[in-house]
Amino acid sequence: MKNLIRLKFQIKLNHSSALIYRLVALSIIPIYLFSFLMKASANEIPLAARIAKVIGLELLTIRRGRQAEPATKKSVLKRHVDTLIIPGKFNSEADLRFYGKYDKNLGLVARAIRRNERPTLYYFPCTLQGNYIIEWANENFTRACELGIRVQRTSNTKINSSILDNLYPVQGLKNLFLGQASRNRFEYHCLVQANDGQGWLDVVSTGNPCEKPLQQCVTETSNNNCKAIMLDRWQTYTKELIGSIECADQKNFIVKSDGEIFSQELKKIWQQAQSQNAKYCKVYTYSVHDVYLVPQKKERLLTRIIETERGSEIEVIAGSAVIKNAKVPNGIIVTAGQRYIYADIENNRLETFNAGEVLQSAEIQDFLESTKILPIPVGNPADAQYVVANLPDGQHLFCSQPEPKDWRSGAGVCFWFRKEGNLITGSFGYPNSDVFVPCVTGIINDNFMTGEALDISWLGNGWIEIPQETGGWDEDGHLKLGQGKIVLTDQNQWGRVDWIHFAFASLDLKGFYRYREENAKEFQAPKSCSVEDNLYDFFD
């Protein structure tokens, strides 16, 4: 058996980028793949933050590790090293929306607003610096950053704003961050949790902080819905950091330390928590100037954060929030009409303001108007006008929801396929994710196909039991699979990888939307569903 097998499959990950190979490497499976494959839960970090709107000058920059690039509407942040920077001297504001598995909108919008000449920053996934309006929607499902948004003051960040403001943003950032990288080193922690409340924590300065804890969780629990629930960072130059671990049964653990040795101290109290069999833990890290903003209930929460000489002023306009800080790790409840002012541990207080007046202000009303999610009826259902069997031969793309007018390559569940007479062959799954069946092929009759399929099972995306009886693959049962059999198996450092052939597959495309031809042409369908036609680059 060869050591490396790659799946020959191309999928469009976003509207603005070229298609990339979706690699399933039997010796290297990227850990970011796992986060797409974990089932959603009430406490799970978002998988992506997208710039939904830019107001004023489009002079935004994204720093990805040590690389910097211009940011525009539709730009996406999705890695722990991704940072959005908005220079302070330019009249620029931006809206961020947050997404989860299957490109699901996670009901959180944050608008960076201009109040002074300091830069405004956003660190993926849940850290803000500067002035913002934030709204969590009133939803009963997963919302982004529900365990808290970390609010930091830009006045305490070692960034020379004149470099950002007086130079072209990308070049200025390159000069700035390359020069300061060694002095202002970041460290990252990731907390992974299983369904039963067990947790795994890792702290790293390089690489993916979620890789090791996810691997441990999957190995030790047989993939008991392992998920990364918290991901944060700090800078080692910080003189005083506080780590707070909050667990069920009121088991709490706190440490204070200099930034240079903070990671060691945080790991110590984590081991202490594990020795006491603490479950359902959360890990918060603060400087003395930071706070965490946490929704108190599953209700709409509308807040505004303004930096002033008094500190970070957090106004709750609607709903209620818990605000945690180094002085009060368990937090205080702040309700509509209350403003919490936090400068540091010794200087913080609660006061009232006219929430109704602020709600009716032009700034808040403009924000609320732009955050409305309005369905756009784009595309045409695959009805009599678009019977799949009557389509011309060639590449096609059909999805269960209308074609979106944003960065996404599709909505709902999609089928990218090639038609040759009455034979169709393609890939079926959720766009903008790694959740799909690589090959589905068969004979089309009107909008219904019957044939066979090929899928892959590996760590984090495994079939617990390969189905012999026919059952639905996707949430709505459009694709049904049965008579599965493993036809190829290999082992790698992550575990076992199986290629599964399904002798029966049926796909119902009735009611699907036909997308524009240019989108369909950017996808290359597999030749067939044989293993041989889906493998390439065999290495000894």
Side-chain angles (χ1 to χ4, degrees):
M1 185 63 63
K2 306 300 180 180
N3 291 330
L4 180 64
I5 303 175
R6 296 180 184 171
L7 172 66
K8 186 180 181 181
F9 181 81
Q10 291 180 311
I11 185 168
K12 186 180 181 185
L13 290 181
N14 60 61
H15 185 73
S16 61
S17 66
L19 294 178
I20 67 170
Y21 283 110
R22 189 256 200 185
L23 300 178
V24 177
L26 296 186
S27 63
I28 303 175
I29 299 180
I31 198 67
Y32 288 108
L33 198 60
F34 293 134
S35 62
F36 281 95
L37 301 171
M38 305 306 172
K39 295 180 180 178
S41 73
N43 297 326
E44 191 165 1
I45 60 174
L47 298 183
R50 176 176 61 87
I51 300 175
K53 182 178 183 179
V54 177
I55 304 164
L57 297 175
E58 202 169 80
L59 292 174
L60 287 64
T61 303
I62 292 179
R63 177 192 176 200
R64 305 188 190 277
R66 298 188 66 180
Q67 302 297 318
E69 62 188 54
T72 62
K73 180 180 177 182
K74 300 181 182 179
S75 291
V76 178
L77 299 92
K78 58 183 180 180
R79 300 179 63 233
H80 67 285
V81 295
D82 289 354
T83 304
L84 174 66
I85 303 101
I86 305 173
K89 287 188 177 180
F90 301 114
N91 187 25
S92 301
E93 299 183 345
D95 287 354
L96 286 164
R97 290 182 183 269
F98 297 79
Y99 295 86
K101 189 177 180 182
Y102 308 144
D103 199 29
K104 182 179 181 180
N105 190 320
L106 294 183
L108 172 63
V109 182
R111 171 176 289 184
I113 56 177
R114 186 175 181 270
R115 279 293 187 278
N116 50 49
E117 293 189 354
R118 296 177 187 142
T120 301
L121 294 91
Y122 160 69
Y123 298 99
F124 183 84
C126 299
T127 298
L128 305 178
Q129 286 188 11
N131 305 288
Y132 282 88
I133 302 171
I134 303 169
E135 182 182 24
W136 275 277
N138 180 18
E139 300 289 354
N140 293 320
F141 52 82
T142 307
R143 298 186 299 183
C145 304
E146 279 208 283
L147 292 180
I149 286 178
R150 187 179 184 183
V151 178
Q152 298 180 316
R153 296 182 63 190
T154 55
S155 58
N156 296 298
T157 302
K158 290 188 176 181
I159 291 183
N160 185 342
S161 61
S162 64
I163 296 179
L164 295 177
D165 294 334
N166 295 326
L167 296 175
Y168 177 69
V170 168
Q171 188 58 46
L173 281 167
K174 284 182 177 179
N175 295 339
L176 169 66
F177 287 114
L178 291 180
Q180 292 188 346
S182 60
R183 301 195 302 275
N184 299 349
R185 184 168 58 90
F186 281 107
E187 291 193 330
Y188 307 85
H189 81 259
C190 179
L191 175 62
V192 171
Q193 199 169 90
N195 271 350
D196 61 2
Q198 292 186 75
W200 293 263
L201 178 75
D202 197 17
V203 180
V204 301
S205 57
T206 60
N208 186 345
C210 296
E211 178 175 353
K212 183 178 177 180
L214 275 171
Q215 181 184 357
Q216 290 173 326
C217 178
V218 172
T219 302
E220 296 176 23
T221 68
S222 299
N223 192 20
N224 185 9
N225 195 19
C226 301
K227 54 191 177 292
I229 65 169
M230 299 188 79
L231 175 61
D232 210 343
R233 63 171 77 185
W234 62 85
Q235 288 179 295
T236 55
Y237 72 75
T238 308
K239 292 301 180 183
E240 184 177 356
L241 285 168
I242 296 94
S244 175
I245 298 178
E246 303 173 14
C247 307
D249 300 325
Q250 297 184 339
K251 293 181 179 179
N252 298 327
F253 309 85
I254 296 178
V255 67
K256 296 181 181 180
S257 169
D258 181 271
E260 288 291 343
I261 61 171
F262 181 70
S263 62
Q264 304 169 32
E265 300 303 315
L266 185 64
K267 288 180 180 179
K268 286 180 183 178
I269 63 168
W270 175 256
Q271 290 301 323
Q272 183 182 352
Q274 296 306 292
S275 68
Q276 297 184 26
N277 198 31
K279 297 290 186 69
Y280 298 103
C281 297
K282 295 168 285 187
V283 179
Y284 296 97
T285 55
Y286 312 83
S287 78
V288 294
H289 303 284
D290 299 344
V291 300
Y292 277 89
L293 175 65
V294 185
Q296 186 198 15
K297 302 176 182 177
K298 279 285 189 178
E299 64 180 10
R300 179 192 181 209
L301 174 60
L302 177 63
T303 66
R304 182 170 64 177
I305 302 169
I306 305 295
E307 281 194 4
T308 70
E309 294 180 355
R310 301 192 297 177
S312 296
E313 301 190 11
I314 303 175
E315 300 173 336
V316 177
I317 303 168
S320 59
V322 176
I323 298 181
K324 300 171 176 285
N325 57 62
K327 183 176 182 179
V328 190
N330 292 330
I332 63 170
I333 297 175
V334 182
T335 59
Q338 292 184 317
R339 176 190 294 122
Y340 185 71
I341 303 170
Y342 186 85
D344 53 42
I345 294 177
E346 302 301 327
N347 298 283
N348 54 90
R349 66 182 184 273
L350 196 63
E351 63 183 30
T352 61
F353 72 100
N354 190 330
E357 184 177 309
V358 172
L359 181 63
Q360 296 304 318
S361 67
E363 180 178 63
I364 298 298
Q365 287 299 308
D366 179 74
F367 169 77
L368 294 176
E369 182 65 28
S370 68
T371 60
K372 291 179 180 178
I373 302 173
L374 301 176
I376 303 174
V378 180
N380 297 285
D383 51 20
Q385 183 181 1
Y386 287 113
V387 174
V388 176
N390 296 336
L391 291 173
D393 288 356
Q395 297 282 136
H396 301 280
L397 171 57
F398 277 66
C399 295
S400 61
Q401 295 180 15
E403 185 171 0
K405 284 189 173 182
D406 56 24
W407 64 278
R408 294 173 296 167
S409 59
V413 64
C414 296
F415 187 43
W416 297 262
F417 65 96
R418 181 183 66 255
K419 181 176 181 292
E420 297 174 310
N422 63 351
L423 177 67
I424 60 174
T425 303
S427 300
F428 182 85
Y430 293 91
N432 316 297
S433 80
D434 285 302
V435 183
F436 55 86
V437 177
C439 187
V440 178
T441 187
I443 302 300
I444 188 72
N445 182 11
D446 290 335
N447 290 314
F448 190 80
M449 183 221 76
T450 55
E452 59 182 330
L454 183 69
D455 198 11
I456 304 173
S457 174
W458 73 91
L459 182 65
N461 188 31
W463 288 87
I464 297 175
E465 183 177 349
I466 299 174
Q468 297 302 309
E469 301 294 328
T470 301
W473 179 86
D474 56 298
E475 294 177 349
D476 296 315
H478 299 293
L479 175 64
K480 291 182 171 60
L481 302 174
Q483 302 176 35
K485 180 181 179 181
I486 296 174
V487 293
L488 179 65
T489 297
D490 204 349
Q491 293 282 336
N492 71 356
Q493 62 188 21
W494 303 104
R496 172 171 168 163
V497 180
D498 294 323
W499 293 75
I500 305 171
H501 175 257
F502 291 93
F504 175 84
S506 68
L507 179 58
D508 187 357
L509 296 172
K510 183 178 180 180
F512 274 49
Y513 293 80
R514 183 185 184 188
Y515 280 28
R516 289 170 295 175
E517 186 176 355
E518 55 265 33
N519 284 344
K521 285 184 176 180
E522 292 185 6
F523 167 75
Q524 180 179 339
K527 294 179 181 179
S528 74
C529 286
S530 68
V531 173
E532 291 76 12
D533 282 338
N534 287 277
L535 301 178
Y536 75 105
D537 289 352
F538 287 80
F539 294 92
D540 290 321

